[in-house]
Amino acid sequence: MAKMNMLQAVNSALITAMTENEKVMVFGEDVGHFGGVFRATSNLQEKFGKGRCFNTPLTEQGIIGFANGLASQGSVPVAEIQFADYIFPAFDQIVNETAKWRYRSGGQFSCGTLTIRTPYGGGIAGGLYHSQSPEAFFAHVPGLKIVVPRNPYQAKGLLLASIRDDNPVLFMEPKRLYRASVGEVPEHDYTLPLGKAEVVSQGTDITLLAWGAQMEVMEKAAQMAEKDGISCEVLDLRSILPWDRETVAISVQKTGRLLISHEAPQTGGFASEIAASIQEKCFLYLESPITRVCGLDTPYPLAHEKEYMPDHLKIYEAIVRCVNF
Amino acid sequence: MAKMNMLQAVNSALITAMTENEKVMVFGEDVGHFGGVFRATSNLQEKFGKGRCFNTPLTEQGIIGFANGLASQGSVPVAEIQFADYIFPAFDQIVNETAKWRYRSGGQFSCGTLTIRTPYGGGIAGGLYHSQSPEAFFAHVPGLKIVVPRNPYQAKGLLLASIRDDNPVLFMEPKRLYRASVGEVPEHDYTLPLGKAEVVSQGTDITLLAWGAQMEVMEKAAQMAEKDGISCEVLDLRSILPWDRETVAISVQKTGRLLISHEAPQTGGFASEIAASIQEKCFLYLESPITRVCGLDTPYPLAHEKEYMPDHLKIYEAIVRCVNF
Amino acid sequence: MKDRNHLSNIGLSHQVNVISNGLVDIPMLQILQADGVPHKEATLPDMEKELAEKILTTMQYIRILDERMVAAQRQGRISFYLACTGEEASTVGSAAALEPQDMIMSQYREQGTLAFRGYSTEQFMDQMFSNEKDPNKGRQMPIHYGVKELNFMTISSPLGTQIPQASGYAYGQKMAGQPAVTICYFGEGAASEGDFHAGLNMAAVLHCPVIFFCRNNGYAISTPSEEQFAGDGIASRGIGYGIKTIRVDGNDVLAVFAATQKARELALAENCPVLIEAMTYRLAAHSTSDDPTGYRSKDEEERWRAKDPVLRFAAWMQSQGWYNEEQNKAFLEQSRQDVLSELKRVEKVPVCKIDDIITDVYDTPPWHLKEQLAELKAHIAKYPEAYPKTAGRL
Amino acid sequence: MKDRNHLSNIGLSHQVNVISNGLVDIPMLQILQADGVPHKEATLPDMEKELAEKILTTMQYIRILDERMVAAQRQGRISFYLACTGEEASTVGSAAALEPQDMIMSQYREQGTLAFRGYSTEQFMDQMFSNEKDPNKGRQMPIHYGVKELNFMTISSPLGTQIPQASGYAYGQKMAGQPAVTICYFGEGAASEGDFHAGLNMAAVLHCPVIFFCRNNGYAISTPSEEQFAGDGIASRGIGYGIKTIRVDGNDVLAVFAATQKARELALAENCPVLIEAMTYRLAAHSTSDDPTGYRSKDEEERWRAKDPVLRFAAWMQSQGWYNEEQNKAFLEQSRQDVLSELKRVEKVPVCKIDDIITDVYDTPPWHLKEQLAELKAHIAKYPEAYPKTAGRL
Ligand SMILES: Cc1ncc(C[n+]2csc(CCOP(=O)(O)OP(=O)(O)O)c2C)c(N)n1
Ligand SMILES: Cc1ncc(C[n+]2csc(CCOP(=O)(O)OP(=O)(O)O)c2C)c(N)n1
Ligand SMILES: [Mg+2]
Ligand SMILES: [Mg+2]
């Protein structure tokens, strides 16, 4: 065990994967010699050479297009998109190519070895274009997996699992926690399961569901609610696609209430899918409407960032409303 | 009044708009001399000249980037994306630029005059890349409006309203109905409201909600259900964003049941947003879970197209399940 | 740390110097004249009689396949088709210069390369009828071929996407130490996509052994190349990226063959991309959904018919004494019959069982897809007559 | 119907002819030598004393603003800053050759163009402190300026997106019959984006009066230009698109001015795009989030410090007898004080009221945004201490 922040945990996972399998290649804007603008890929080029860790020209559609071809050839690309806000130029390559490659070829070819790493989320005074949480756009794309860690331990275990999983994985890293979140991380090799939610704390009155950086906020709100004697069951979804409906449903059948929170704008956010599925699965168990506490339906504003965010106070208020419905 | 199919109605709307306002410009791949691969822009170049109706090079990101600049300059671009399946290379220009232009500039500049026309949907043996219904991707983008007509009358009235509306509008045309749907269309100028759903037929037992080409299927299912004595209220959402929650809620508060159908894959489709919102607004009125009848969570398959589609039989079965819940 | 100077190779001028024609001429390699007689000055690539015969018959076979399938589409037997008539030399001539281990990433008009690698009439039909024997499981529209054994990547409709992919594939071949290159075909229209820019630039910077083969056939559906770009074709761009570039007469098999051989040799030896621009013409309609009379003149088409690549090559073979009228007639006859009989036979092969609607979305179907399949099967069982293709084999 | 021949301008070769250096040399226009003395052969643009003074003081002002704001960021007074140190001549020199009605679409390192058009220290501060007086309402990070009155389009962070947009904007200016062009600034890194390809190609084909101004400063954050492209800079690409191209010494104001004047003249007269590649160097860190010692040597930086564009121009003005030591000192002093006092003052200006969190998403807020605002205001009212910036003015 060693104390690591999330960047160190990501770096450790990459070193483990590249050491184990020489087909693993890491690339993207500034990831080479410099080690990435957040330094998640530090020292990889020195350790593994320019052939396996390198800078690309400044083109996201090129990075993913290149990665798709490389994956279909049998190599194991781990491509970095410098900020999730800049993944959209690669949207066609991801949605029409990466995700459909295996299906359209009847399983003859695939991009299963591809992992796309990208930092997402707000709370860092990043304004419109350094704050976005685009998971919902990709959650509507059959063929992709989407994974979001909430701490360094998860970051290493889930990233290693993503790199080894034989499906393309979009691995979204909560950049607000890159240095802020520090914890014990095994130096040795380990993985955590994809597609499985984690019950972070047990409770009986309401189920609180989130992922990534929002977990911290959720737990803070839960503590406030506990003081009012509201017993919260806190769940970390961990995988957005495919998502673990069963674990969520079991919890909601117990608590009778569900609150989901994410930073992304509410309309069309992934909370809507969860709410739609759970109201169907748990219709007769629900004691109050499923509640969403999300970002506003606006671009991400700098000056009003604090007001925009679904913070612990908004969640706490929503919990109370739910329980008193 | 004249009998027109949907292509003729679109063409008529474009002629009306270009005649009225010389700032209106129509462009895209093959839309010029040739009049577009579906011929929606026939004769516009002859009528209005090459300066106002022209072919672009084959680049969707360029078409929308160019259109964004043109709109911000004060012209009124009506850009065509040849198939909705090919709109993804322009995703960044639409999501990060078109939609955020006004907000980021504090209202100094905007792409409000922009309209993007694109044919969408399946049922034409188009396989993975000539069948997609991508509305949900754009429904998660504050700043955009999304409009879908279901017949020639709507096509003309809604397209004219979209071109004149001072917000960027994604106008999705159900290509399966381009020639199949024929109806009476006024030759004169008229518009239909954006953001307003239409109650197509009144009923008391269940609310059936869809848009565009899926309306036909929905009505067919409704007729089957009526034979069983199930009274269906059929709604056409018409605008996906902003959507008319009020009209839907009023209907559901009356019927106590809601079924939503679209061709796009179920997970993360727009039905999930509607279900999430309505279960919240109408919690105490719901007599059965809100039901979604959608495409499968797979790419769009050619050989199994019939099985993939949310047809009238699947909807009819779901209606019966709802009512007998 | 290494000192850099991004001005090191740049000279000075002291007057405003607007460069409006900064390119050397990029002539087009032509070995055979339209009548099949080689230019005196031309050096012919060495090509054995056998290979020449294979090239000719492959081109003729594709011409026949195209004719028959366009007809089949008209009869409503298949939903869609896309012919390469007029461009046989570009595709077959380039494929002939490759090795079997080279990966082919094509756009959609390159059936000639597939036929050259031995794709059978039956296999073509299996794909076009989307049946259960298509290795792609009938999921895409006709002509979206793909077959792993032949190193032919499954075609996808979105244009240009295969260009950066080819760079990545070639990079992987290089890293794996394989004596192989990737060839990437695309049209001059697709070359306007952003992916073209990304793919060529990355290949140049990352030293990828990839051959970019552009079929400049003058049109992108109805859009003529003069409305597609203003520069000197696509070749001029390769030069901008610092990529070795060759322009060739796409209707001259020998020229295409020689150019592609050279390109492959360079790509492998120097781990670098090479761009080939083949000047040709689409004599066919864009596809069975298209009618060219709406955008080009018959005269124009006639001028190009006179440059028919198949006749030109046949004439040359004749002059070599390699062309046996009788034999060739027989081959053509045989091919026509094969195509027709296979068409009839394969028409009856069923599509995949419904279970395959959810396979290959992921390596193994997750819970939600299993759930959706189960519901679907129950539904089909209840309404078998509504789903005739699959109800019989649930 | 018009007969077309896309081969009409193409010659023939009969040997495989691999073009690996098909470009003429693209020299860099330089009028002033590093010491400010004009090259003998150089023709100087005619520039009045007044304009020269405005250019010099604007460059000096920006240098001061950059220094002070980098310091302010270190003190935590603003969250982010991005300096243009070393590139003042490229931006100010080009802006000086434009007319007020010309639209400027910039990347982010072009504050010099804005200052040249009269943007005040207060206005710079309003944006950087995201306050209610910023016409962009404080929604974007510092340095994302935008002001309609000055025809300066609001900057957006995604790279390259402004390139096709500039083509469209210029097309609109042409259609409206305005005697105006659009200038589009971008870095050599952004030129790798697909949008670059789309924007330049469309401008060439659709005859847009746009000036593409590339600042080739050798780096994209840590990525040196040799890992960005393999061709002859960005200029070589313009030639591929059939776009008139000029390469210029970006550290020589007179050269940049002359080149941009020529470009504007051509763009307007011939309704065509012109590409300018300005060779320069980013002496500053990429931004306040960056540390260049991680990717380049001090020596390299020193070599470029010796080419300082501001000193070079000052020296020339001196030789013209246009430079008054005293006056200039006073100006510098005054500017430093202004920047500091405005910084202090503007720091205290409040952000927009919370109501503005939903304005400008659409022309008028739809029901769902009104609903979200109402909830938000009620919430802030309940927890005022948690939202100090807005609670006071609900
Ligand atoms: C991204 C994308 N945009 C548009 C289309 C529709 N489309 C199919 S073929 C074609 C023209 C392609 O022309 P070119 O690349 O020159 O190839 P050619 O047909 O001439 O062989 C177009 C616009 C597409 N398939 N993909
Ligand atoms: C689409 C996109 N990708 C990545 C980034 C992150 N980024 C910001 S600046 C920069 C480097 C730009 O280099 P260049 O274009 O040469 O301009 P310079 O900073 O040298 O002036 C990068 C990668 C971005 N802003 N947008
Ligand atoms: Mg073509
Ligand atoms: Mg740069």
Side-chain angles (χ1 to χ4, degrees):
Chain A
M1 284 289 189
K3 273 225 173 312
M4 293 189 195
N5 64 28
M6 193 175 284
L7 285 167
Q8 293 163 323
V10 167
N11 190 253
S12 167
L14 292 173
I15 289 171
T16 307
M18 292 179 87
T19 307
E20 165 195 61
N21 179 356
E22 67 172 11
K23 288 187 176 158
V24 176
M25 300 176 202
V26 174
F27 52 90
E29 294 156 13
D30 302 294
V31 304
H33 170 72
F34 189 56
V37 294
F38 291 103
R39 305 311 181 81
T41 58
S42 296
N43 308 316
L44 299 183
Q45 188 172 81
E46 287 88 317
K47 273 199 171 60
F48 302 100
K50 244 189 142 175
R52 293 182 57 200
C53 174
F54 52 93
N55 290 338
T56 61
L58 210 171
T59 167
E60 292 72 20
Q61 67 194 105
I63 291 167
I64 303 302
F66 187 92
N68 282 337
L70 194 53
S72 70
Q73 177 272 338
S75 300
V76 185
V78 182
E80 174 177 306
I81 297 296
Q82 204 165 73
F83 287 86
D85 310 68
Y86 305 134
I87 201 167
F88 301 127
F91 203 71
D92 185 56
Q93 281 286 350
I94 297 172
V95 171
N96 268 343
E97 299 292 313
T98 309
K100 298 178 169 67
W101 204 291
R102 191 194 303 261
Y103 196 74
R104 74 189 180 204
S105 69
Q108 293 185 93
F109 302 97
S110 96
C111 294
T113 56
L114 172 61
T115 303
I116 302 171
R117 293 180 42 247
T118 193
Y120 82 94
I124 59 156
L128 274 82
Y129 299 112
H130 295 81
S131 308
Q132 295 179 52
S133 300
E135 67 276 4
F137 292 114
F138 299 97
H140 189 44
V141 184
L144 296 182
K145 291 191 177 184
I146 307 170
V147 176
V148 191
R150 79 167 184 279
N151 59 33
Y153 176 74
Q154 279 191 3
K156 179 172 178 178
L158 289 173
L159 180 52
L160 274 169
S162 300
I163 292 171
R164 291 165 183 166
D165 186 82
D166 191 20
N167 296 284
V169 178
L170 176 62
F171 190 80
M172 298 177 62
E173 302 169 0
K175 59 178 176 298
R176 179 157 58 80
L177 304 185
Y178 264 160
R179 294 189 172 80
S181 170
V182 178
E184 289 297 325
V185 177
E187 273 131 318
H188 64 72
D189 186 343
Y190 68 97
T191 61
L192 295 171
L194 303 188
K196 290 253 153 294
E198 179 186 353
V199 179
V200 175
S201 63
Q202 304 261 350
T204 55
D205 299 333
I206 184 168
T207 302
L208 306 181
L209 176 63
W211 50 85
Q214 196 60 8
M215 288 305 298
E216 221 185 19
V217 183
M218 200 63 123
E219 290 181 75
K220 202 163 163 196
Q223 285 153 20
M224 288 179 70
E226 300 278 352
K227 292 209 186 66
D228 302 354
I230 302 170
S231 160
C232 304
E233 177 143 308
V234 181
L235 269 54
D236 176 357
L237 195 58
R238 293 197 298 192
S239 280
I240 306 288
L241 192 71
W243 65 288
D244 186 355
R245 189 187 64 192
E246 189 185 5
T247 300
V248 178
I250 289 171
S251 173
V252 174
Q253 285 168 9
K254 178 175 72 177
T255 63
R257 297 185 179 83
L258 175 61
L259 181 151
I260 313 153
S261 179
H262 56 61
E263 280 180 27
Q266 170 158 314
T267 298
F270 194 65
S272 63
E273 174 59 40
I274 298 169
S277 300
I278 295 300
Q279 65 85 31
E280 194 184 358
K281 280 285 143 214
C282 307
F283 188 73
L284 299 174
Y285 296 84
L286 286 172
E287 292 166 33
S288 68
I290 298 169
T291 303
R292 295 180 286 170
V293 182
C294 305
L296 272 65
D297 284 316
T298 73
Y300 196 104
L302 180 70
H304 294 140
E305 175 164 33
K306 211 170 175 353
E307 290 78 2
Y308 177 88
M309 294 282 269
D311 62 14
H312 62 287
L313 296 173
K314 293 182 185 176
I315 295 172
Y316 165 72
E317 285 293 314
I319 293 173
V320 173
R321 274 198 305 277
C322 265
V323 174
N324 301 334
F325 178 80
Chain B
M1 284 288 188
K3 273 226 174 310
M4 295 188 194
N5 64 27
M6 192 174 286
L7 285 166
Q8 294 163 324
V10 167
N11 191 254
S12 167
L14 293 172
I15 289 170
T16 306
M18 292 180 88
T19 307
E20 166 195 61
N21 179 357
E22 66 172 13
K23 288 187 176 160
V24 176
M25 300 176 203
V26 174
F27 52 89
E29 294 156 13
D30 302 295
V31 305
H33 169 71
F34 190 57
V37 293
F38 290 103
R39 305 312 180 80
T41 57
S42 297
N43 308 317
L44 299 182
Q45 189 172 80
E46 287 87 319
K47 272 198 170 59
F48 302 100
K50 246 189 142 173
R52 293 183 56 201
C53 175
F54 52 92
N55 289 339
T56 62
L58 210 171
T59 167
E60 292 73 20
Q61 66 195 105
I63 290 167
I64 302 302
F66 187 92
N68 283 337
L70 194 53
S72 70
Q73 178 272 338
S75 300
V76 185
V78 182
E80 174 177 305
I81 297 296
Q82 204 165 73
F83 286 86
D85 310 67
Y86 305 134
I87 201 168
F88 301 127
F91 203 71
D92 185 56
Q93 281 286 349
I94 297 172
V95 171
N96 269 342
E97 299 292 315
T98 309
K100 298 178 169 67
W101 204 291
R102 191 193 302 259
Y103 196 74
R104 73 189 180 205
S105 69
Q108 293 184 92
F109 303 98
S110 96
C111 294
T113 56
L114 172 61
T115 303
I116 302 170
R117 291 181 43 247
T118 193
Y120 81 94
I124 60 157
L128 274 81
Y129 299 112
H130 295 81
S131 307
Q132 296 179 52
S133 300
E135 67 275 4
F137 292 113
F138 298 97
H140 189 44
V141 184
L144 295 182
K145 291 191 176 184
I146 307 170
V147 176
V148 191
R150 79 166 185 278
N151 60 32
Y153 176 75
Q154 281 191 2
K156 181 173 177 178
L158 288 172
L159 180 52
L160 275 169
S162 300
I163 292 171
R164 291 165 183 165
D165 185 82
D166 191 21
N167 297 284
V169 179
L170 176 61
F171 191 80
M172 298 177 61
E173 302 169 0
K175 59 179 177 296
R176 179 157 58 82
L177 303 184
Y178 264 160
R179 294 190 171 78
S181 170
V182 178
E184 290 297 326
V185 177
E187 273 132 318
H188 64 72
D189 186 342
Y190 67 98
T191 61
L192 295 171
L194 304 187
K196 290 254 154 293
E198 179 186 354
V199 179
V200 176
S201 63
Q202 304 260 352
T204 54
D205 298 332
I206 185 169
T207 302
L208 306 181
L209 176 64
W211 51 85
Q214 196 61 6
M215 287 304 298
E216 215 186 24
V217 183
M218 201 63 122
E219 290 180 77
K220 201 163 164 196
Q223 285 154 18
M224 289 179 71
E226 300 278 353
K227 293 211 185 66
D228 301 356
I230 302 170
S231 161
C232 304
E233 178 143 308
V234 181
L235 268 55
D236 177 358
L237 195 58
R238 292 198 298 192
S239 281
I240 307 289
L241 192 71
W243 65 288
D244 186 354
R245 190 187 63 190
E246 188 184 8
T247 300
V248 178
I250 289 170
S251 173
V252 174
Q253 286 168 10
K254 178 175 72 176
T255 62
R257 296 186 179 82
L258 175 61
L259 181 152
I260 313 153
S261 179
H262 55 62
E263 280 181 28
Q266 170 157 314
T267 298
F270 195 65
S272 63
E273 174 58 42
I274 298 169
S277 301
I278 295 300
Q279 64 86 31
E280 194 185 359
K281 279 288 143 208
C282 308
F283 189 72
L284 299 174
Y285 298 83
L286 285 172
E287 292 167 33
S288 68
I290 297 169
T291 303
R292 294 180 286 171
V293 183
C294 306
L296 272 64
D297 284 315
T298 74
Y300 196 105
L302 180 70
H304 294 140
E305 176 165 32
K306 209 166 178 355
E307 290 78 2
Y308 177 88
M309 294 283 269
D311 62 13
H312 62 288
L313 296 172
K314 292 180 184 177
I315 295 172
Y316 165 73
E317 286 293 314
I319 294 173
V320 173
R321 274 198 305 277
C322 265
V323 174
N324 302 336
F325 179 79
Chain C
M1 211 165 302
K2 158 170 178 207
D3 261 21
R4 303 188 185 90
N5 176 7
H6 60 299
L7 270 55
S8 49
N9 306 321
I10 296 175
L12 292 183
S13 79
H14 306 305
Q15 311 297 332
V16 180
N17 172 354
V18 181
I19 299 185
S20 38
N21 44 10
L23 274 176
V24 300
D25 289 340
I26 310 174
M28 164 175 103
L29 172 65
Q30 187 178 75
I31 291 172
L32 297 180
Q33 306 176 57
D35 57 8
V37 178
H39 287 279
K40 271 171 243 48
E41 317 82 331
T43 354
L44 275 66
D46 37 26
M47 184 183 282
E48 310 275 290
K49 175 175 186 227
E50 257 190 342
L51 178 56
E53 278 171 335
K54 182 174 179 188
I55 291 174
L56 178 66
T57 53
T58 303
M59 293 198 293
Q60 293 176 319
Y61 168 78
I62 285 297
R63 183 78 54 104
I64 288 167
L65 182 69
D66 283 354
E67 283 164 9
R68 286 286 168 274
M69 297 320 291
V70 166
Q73 193 277 339
R74 290 231 182 74
Q75 301 160 354
R77 295 166 77 178
I78 55 172
S79 56
F80 176 85
Y81 191 73
L82 185 143
C84 70
T85 310
E87 303 182 50
E88 294 89 349
S90 297
T91 47
V92 178
S94 51
L98 302 174
E99 296 298 327
Q101 71 269 25
D102 297 333
M103 171 54 67
I104 297 177
M105 288 181 148
S106 70
Q107 178 160 307
Y108 52 45
R109 209 178 293 282
E110 296 84 4
Q111 49 266 51
T113 64
L114 202 43
F116 186 85
R117 287 197 172 181
Y119 210 52
S120 71
T121 302
E122 174 178 14
Q123 289 175 300
F124 275 110
M125 296 296 165
D126 287 337
Q127 196 286 327
M128 285 185 276
F129 283 100
S130 329
N131 69 31
E132 65 180 1
K133 290 168 72 200
D134 166 26
N136 304 288
K137 301 187 183 169
R139 288 167 178 155
Q140 290 199 86
M141 286 171 71
I143 71 98
H144 290 68
Y145 311 107
V147 52
K148 184 148 197 167
E149 297 63 40
L150 298 182
N151 286 313
F152 186 96
M153 182 62 71
T154 298
I155 296 166
S156 81
S157 317
L159 289 169
T161 52
Q162 78 279 18
I163 303 173
Q165 290 163 7
S167 304
Y169 200 101
Y171 189 86
Q173 291 171 310
K174 178 180 81 171
M175 292 297 287
Q178 294 162 0
V181 304
T182 297
I183 188 165
C184 177
Y185 292 93
F186 53 89
E188 88 292 339
S192 293
E193 291 284 0
D195 278 352
F196 165 91
H197 181 55
L200 270 74
N201 189 43
M202 289 180 83
V205 172
L206 297 170
H207 311 291
C208 307
V210 53
I211 301 171
F212 297 112
F213 193 102
C214 178
R215 296 178 293 97
N216 183 342
N217 60 10
Y219 289 88
I221 304 185
S222 76
T223 305
S225 54
E226 80 236 30
E227 295 180 24
Q228 195 66 243
F229 51 77
D232 180 8
I234 304 306
S236 60
R237 296 184 197 159
I239 292 162
Y241 296 115
I243 292 179
K244 293 182 166 53
T245 299
I246 306 173
R247 176 175 274 154
V248 62
D249 179 345
N251 288 22
D252 174 355
V253 168
L254 290 182
V256 172
F257 178 77
T260 311
Q261 247 186 347
K262 182 67 182 174
R264 183 176 192 278
E265 178 191 315
L266 285 169
L268 259 189
E270 304 179 17
N271 275 318
C272 68
V274 179
L275 170 64
I276 296 175
E277 180 180 26
M279 307 309 297
T280 181
Y281 190 85
R282 166 166 61 72
L283 284 172
H286 169 71
S287 75
T288 50
S289 321
D290 176 50
D291 171 13
T293 61
Y295 53 83
R296 68 189 190 189
S297 73
K298 281 259 159 291
D299 298 7
E300 184 185 306
E301 291 180 359
E302 283 323 312
R303 270 209 319 285
W304 278 94
R305 246 177 252 296
K307 304 186 189 180
D308 187 312
V310 183
L311 300 180
R312 189 190 300 194
F313 191 57
W316 177 71
M317 285 189 64
Q318 199 131 34
S319 70
Q320 298 289 95
W322 290 355
Y323 182 81
N324 176 324
E325 187 82 44
E326 289 315 299
Q327 265 181 22
N328 196 253
K329 264 219 175 60
F331 167 79
L332 298 181
E333 203 26 62
Q334 187 55 52
S335 302
R336 286 200 190 82
Q337 283 173 22
D338 291 354
V339 170
L340 284 179
S341 56
E342 284 304 300
L343 209 157
K344 273 210 195 57
R345 202 172 58 71
V346 171
E347 228 166 6
K348 300 184 188 59
V349 178
V351 301
C352 290
K353 297 183 62 186
I354 192 59
D355 304 74
D356 273 317
I357 199 172
I358 66 157
T359 56
D360 306 318
V361 179
Y362 294 93
D363 55 349
T364 55
W367 63 268
H368 64 294
L369 285 175
K370 288 196 199 124
E371 199 174 271
Q372 291 175 10
L373 177 63
E375 279 176 24
L376 178 58
K377 289 175 97 168
H379 179 76
I380 295 174
K382 186 160 183 185
Y383 296 95
E385 68 294 337
Y387 310 95
K389 283 171 152 190
T390 50
R393 302 189 302 151
L394 282 180
Chain D
M1 210 164 308
K2 158 174 177 203
D3 261 20
R4 302 189 186 89
N5 176 6
H6 60 298
L7 270 56
S8 50
N9 305 321
I10 297 175
L12 291 184
S13 79
H14 306 305
Q15 311 298 332
V16 179
N17 173 353
V18 182
I19 299 185
S20 38
N21 45 9
L23 275 175
V24 300
D25 290 339
I26 310 174
M28 159 175 107
L29 172 65
Q30 187 178 75
I31 290 172
L32 298 180
Q33 308 177 56
D35 57 8
V37 178
H39 286 279
K40 271 171 246 45
E41 317 83 331
T43 349
L44 275 65
D46 36 24
M47 184 183 283
E48 310 276 291
K49 177 176 185 223
E50 260 190 339
L51 178 56
E53 279 171 334
K54 183 175 178 187
I55 291 175
L56 178 66
T57 52
T58 304
M59 293 198 293
Q60 293 176 319
Y61 168 78
I62 285 297
R63 182 81 47 109
I64 288 167
L65 182 70
D66 283 354
E67 284 163 11
R68 287 286 168 275
M69 297 320 291
V70 167
Q73 193 277 339
R74 290 229 182 75
Q75 301 161 357
R77 295 166 77 179
I78 56 172
S79 56
F80 176 85
Y81 191 73
L82 185 142
C84 70
T85 311
E87 302 182 51
E88 294 89 348
S90 298
T91 48
V92 178
S94 50
L98 302 174
E99 296 298 328
Q101 70 269 26
D102 297 333
M103 170 54 68
I104 296 178
M105 289 182 149
S106 69
Q107 178 160 307
Y108 53 43
R109 210 179 292 283
E110 297 84 5
Q111 49 266 51
T113 64
L114 201 44
F116 186 86
R117 286 197 172 181
Y119 210 53
S120 70
T121 303
E122 174 178 13
Q123 289 175 301
F124 275 110
M125 296 296 165
D126 287 337
Q127 196 285 328
M128 284 186 275
F129 283 100
S130 328
N131 69 31
E132 66 180 359
K133 290 168 72 199
D134 166 25
N136 304 289
K137 301 186 184 170
R139 288 168 178 155
Q140 289 199 86
M141 285 171 72
I143 71 98
H144 290 68
Y145 312 106
V147 52
K148 184 147 197 170
E149 296 63 41
L150 298 182
N151 286 314
F152 188 96
M153 182 62 71
T154 298
I155 295 166
S156 80
S157 317
L159 290 168
T161 53
Q162 78 277 20
I163 303 173
Q165 291 164 7
S167 305
Y169 200 100
Y171 189 86
Q173 291 171 311
K174 178 180 81 171
M175 293 297 287
Q178 295 162 1
V181 304
T182 296
I183 188 166
C184 178
Y185 292 93
F186 53 89
E188 88 291 340
S192 292
E193 291 284 1
D195 278 353
F196 166 90
H197 181 57
L200 270 74
N201 189 43
M202 290 180 83
V205 172
L206 297 169
H207 311 291
C208 307
V210 54
I211 300 171
F212 295 112
F213 193 102
C214 179
R215 294 178 294 97
N216 183 342
N217 60 9
Y219 289 88
I221 304 185
S222 77
T223 305
S225 54
E226 79 235 33
E227 294 180 25
Q228 195 64 246
F229 50 77
D232 180 8
I234 305 305
S236 60
R237 296 183 196 161
I239 292 164
Y241 295 116
I243 292 179
K244 294 183 167 54
T245 299
I246 306 173
R247 175 175 276 155
V248 62
D249 179 346
N251 288 22
D252 175 356
V253 168
L254 290 182
V256 171
F257 178 78
T260 311
Q261 247 186 347
K262 183 66 182 174
R264 184 177 192 277
E265 180 192 313
L266 285 169
L268 260 188
E270 304 180 17
N271 275 320
C272 68
V274 179
L275 171 65
I276 296 176
E277 180 181 26
M279 308 309 297
T280 179
Y281 190 84
R282 166 167 59 74
L283 284 171
H286 169 72
S287 75
T288 49
S289 322
D290 176 50
D291 171 13
T293 60
Y295 53 82
R296 69 189 188 189
S297 74
K298 282 260 158 290
D299 298 6
E300 184 186 307
E301 291 179 0
E302 283 323 312
R303 267 208 322 284
W304 279 93
R305 244 176 255 296
K307 304 186 189 179
D308 188 311
V310 183
L311 301 180
R312 189 189 300 194
F313 191 57
W316 178 72
M317 285 188 63
Q318 199 132 31
S319 69
Q320 298 290 95
W322 289 356
Y323 182 81
N324 176 323
E325 187 81 43
E326 288 315 300
Q327 264 182 21
N328 196 251
K329 263 217 174 58
F331 167 79
L332 298 180
E333 203 27 62
Q334 187 55 51
S335 301
R336 286 199 191 84
Q337 283 173 23
D338 291 354
V339 170
L340 284 178
S341 56
E342 283 305 299
L343 210 157
K344 273 209 194 57
R345 201 172 59 69
V346 170
E347 232 168 1
K348 302 185 184 58
V349 179
V351 301
C352 289
K353 297 182 63 189
I354 192 59
D355 303 73
D356 273 317
I357 199 171
I358 67 158
T359 57
D360 307 318
V361 179
Y362 295 92
D363 56 348
T364 55
W367 64 268
H368 64 295
L369 285 174
K370 289 196 199 123
E371 199 174 272
Q372 291 175 9
L373 176 63
E375 279 175 23
L376 178 58
K377 288 176 97 168
H379 179 75
I380 295 174
K382 187 160 183 185
Y383 296 95
E385 67 293 337
Y387 309 94
K389 281 176 157 186
T390 49
R393 302 189 301 150
L394 282 179

